[in-house]
Amino acid sequence: MPKLTVDGVELEVPQGATVLQACELAGKEIPRFCYHERLSIAGNCRMCLVEVKPGPPKPQASCALPAADGQEIRTDTPMVKKAREGVMEFLLINHPLDCPICDQGGECDLQDQAMSYGRGYSRFDENKRAVDDKYMGPIVKTAMTRCIQCTRCVRFTEEVAGTNDMGMYFRGEDAEITTFLESAVATELSGNVVDLCPVGALLSKPYAFQARPWEMKKVPGIDVMDAVGTNIRMDVRGRQVLRILPRINDAVNEEWAHDKTRHHVDALVRGRLDRPWVRENGKLREAGWDEALTIFADQLGAAKSKVAAIAGDLVDAETMYAAKALLSAQKGTMFEGRQTGLDYDVSNLGAVRFNTPIAEIENADVILIAGSNLRWEASLVNTRVRKAVRRGAKVFAIGPQVELTYPVEWVGEGVEALAKLPKAVTKAFAGAEKPVMIVGPAVLAAGAQGTAQAAAATLGVIKDGWNGYNVLHTAASRLAGLMLGYAQPGGLADVIAAKPKLVLMLGADEVSADAFPKAFKVYVGHHGDKGAALADLVLPGASYAEKHGTYVNIEGRVQRGEKAVFAPGDAREDWSIFRAVSEKTGKPLKFDNFHQLRAAMIADHPELGVDDGEIIAMDFALPKLEVAKDGALGCPIADFYLTNAICRASPTMQRCSAELVHGEDFAEAAE
């Protein structure tokens, strides 16, 4: 490991580190625009200049200079100060004075570094150049005159997103960054280029001119748009979440988030249920809370033990626990969370989770993806697979062919390919040290869970110290629901066969309309979507942003989100609705506030009480199941942008769906 000195401080740095990283290890702040820890080195901006001995008597770009033994690095000499001032002066030559009207104001790298490292004046008296704004789709808004050609956005789309959407053309003063043919950025990760842009050239189109960063309160939360458990930050002003950004968590999402995570936020104030509704003579009418709760309690009493609860995809563990406690007091036993009809075996939860830590996927050497469009079902797992491919991993896939952004060898489309693996697959896995198999929801839907487990045994993906058998879920509530008992042996079919008299739908919007024709259906949710349209009683609940909640991601990682805003109108947090109903039935639940509810849940399910961010230890065994020989593997997600009630209420997601999935053209204002 090289030993060097930074401003007189001697330290040892890892082999392969750059001078910039060495300076940061020494506690020195090095300004930069083009350099980013998760992207390749470009050396474009020259802002990170330092003085290095031995070497030429001139400043050098620290981001592109390898750290070497015996180097003497100076970050505070007059030469370095003057060089940085000169670079900043060049960067500002053509940059417009847009700060008062720029959305990046207040969180702009160029603004901050101009104050810290720039001159107080400019010697440039010529006309500034102007660049036409580019069209980049419904997510990214451009102001390309502000661009400093750092190429972070270009490198992100090439290296992380894998779509090669952006590039630079022309040279020198005429250089411009644009999408090819000025089309929309065709990646579900496009919002990340806004975070990466160190100036105000790329901005969030849905968030444009909404608020300033210092006006907002920042609340940590967990994303529920898929089951990966992306760590997010909700920026709140007043009673509205105006923006969602990713939080850094190297074990889960690194610092990325897909567009559905970021931009469903406009639906949190649209299409909301904000008062109770009761169905009379086939039509819903408004009702007060006392009347609605009385009707609920009366129906619950009349149904006795013939009750059931179905959990939707976005529900937190506390809501499911409280609902189960309410119905269990009636001796109800029918609880299900797989609302689309899946009925896979859950006798061993370790066999139905993502056993390889998400961060370890990028170290795999051979990967088999079975029945999954990984790019839509778990976008941030797909980026990890792409990193593995860039490091030399080989990827095989079974199922309908889709573009996954990296080279894939497709070896079949149906269950038969999984039942009888091609020689190319078995040969590649035979010598693999870290093999990975990802079983998608299409395999579970085809009833081929046993086939996947048999294939895993054949390929040897489970070794000492390594478990490469992974089942991918798409619902944020899935794993917590399975742990809380929301799973019948025959899935939803068992609940339907039991013919319950009352069905409690916890944000369940994907249940078939004719599943419970004679039951009294109570919908507790936050959007007037499909579930509310079926219900006999609609009770307005809180969305994930309006309550504290515990979520368990695909790998069994327990994460807790915080309440960012209050629910609109007369809506209440879900658990408080069940507590109020239990009071009317004469069987009050044993908790009076959220903290007591969480304590009760953890007392009954200690595994949910582990530290925030910790992965639950689960026994792993592959139960002996019937092996299916054939069957179709279809993609369960037909439209990435419209997968749940919140997304369907979002104008931004509707626009993304129309333009990026269905190919509709949208005229710009000038057209």
Side-chain angles (χ1 to χ4, degrees), residues 493-568:
D494 283 2
V495 182
I496 295 173
K499 296 181 179 179
K501 294 182 180 178
L502 183 143
V503 177
L504 177 56
M505 301 166 69
L506 306 173
D509 292 291
E510 315 302 329
V511 179
S512 174
D514 56 357
F516 304 100
K518 296 183 180 179
F520 186 85
K521 295 178 280 293
V522 180
Y523 179 82
V524 179
H526 38 77
H527 278 79
D529 203 70
K530 301 173 185 177
L534 299 176
D536 299 296
L537 177 63
V538 177
L539 302 177
S543 73
Y544 77 97
E546 296 149 8
K547 57 186 173 183
H548 300 286
T550 299
Y551 302 91
V552 182
N553 79 343
I554 50 175
E555 55 185 345
R557 189 183 302 273
V558 174
Q559 300 185 113
R560 299 180 180 91
E562 295 186 15
K563 179 177 180 177
V565 291
F566 290 97

Side-chain angles (χ1 to χ4, degrees), residues 612-649:
D612 192 6
E614 185 177 334
I615 295 179
I616 300 170
M618 294 182 184
D619 293 332
F620 177 81
L622 296 179
K624 293 183 179 180
L625 303 171
E626 182 180 352
V627 176
K629 299 296 184 183
D630 55 24
L633 295 176
C635 293
I637 296 180
D639 190 329
F640 172 74
Y641 298 99
L642 301 177
T643 53
N644 56 60
I646 298 179
C647 290
R648 288 190 285 266

Side-chain angles (χ1 to χ4, degrees), residues 178-232:
T178 181
T179 53
F180 296 115
L181 301 179
E182 296 199 17
S183 57
V185 181
T187 169
E188 64 286 347
L189 300 170
S190 64
N192 293 291
V193 301
V194 176
D195 289 351
L196 287 171
C197 185
V199 297
L202 302 179
L203 301 165
S204 171
K205 187 175 286 187
Y207 171 72
F209 307 122
Q210 294 288 314
R212 288 298 197 180
W214 56 83
E215 299 175 324
M216 297 186 289
K217 179 179 69 173
K218 299 168 178 60
V219 182
I222 302 298
D223 174 50
V224 297
M225 295 295 112
D226 58 23
V228 174
T230 300
N231 287 218
I232 59 173

Side-chain angles (χ1 to χ4, degrees), residues 41-63:
I41 294 170
N44 290 345
C45 71
R46 320 307 288 180
M47 193 65 203
C48 61
L49 297 173
V50 296
E51 189 176 346
V52 181
K53 295 178 182 178
K58 64 178 184 178
Q60 298 188 64
S62 60
C63 69

Side-chain angles (χ1 to χ4, degrees), residues 356 360-361 363-364 433-436 461-468:
T356 308
E360 282 295 314
I361 292 293
N363 296 321
E433 293 184 5
K434 292 186 175 182
V436 165
V461 299
I462 303 157
K463 304 183 177 187
D464 289 340
W466 179 264
N467 190 336

Side-chain angles (χ1 to χ4, degrees), residues 130-135 142-145 169 176-178 182:
V131 181
D132 290 339
D133 292 345
K134 307 297 189 293
Y135 180 72
T142 64
M144 299 311 294
T145 300
Y169 63 86
E176 296 182 18
I177 286 178
T178 181
E182 296 199 17

Side-chain angles (χ1 to χ4, degrees), residues 302-335:
K304 297 182 180 177
S305 63
K306 300 282 285 184
V307 293
I310 302 173
D313 293 347
L314 314 180
V315 187
D316 56 288
E318 286 84 359
T319 294
M320 290 186 281
Y321 176 82
K324 186 175 182 180
L326 176 68
L327 299 194
S328 295
Q330 300 284 124
K331 302 194 183 320
T333 58
M334 286 290 157
F335 304 97

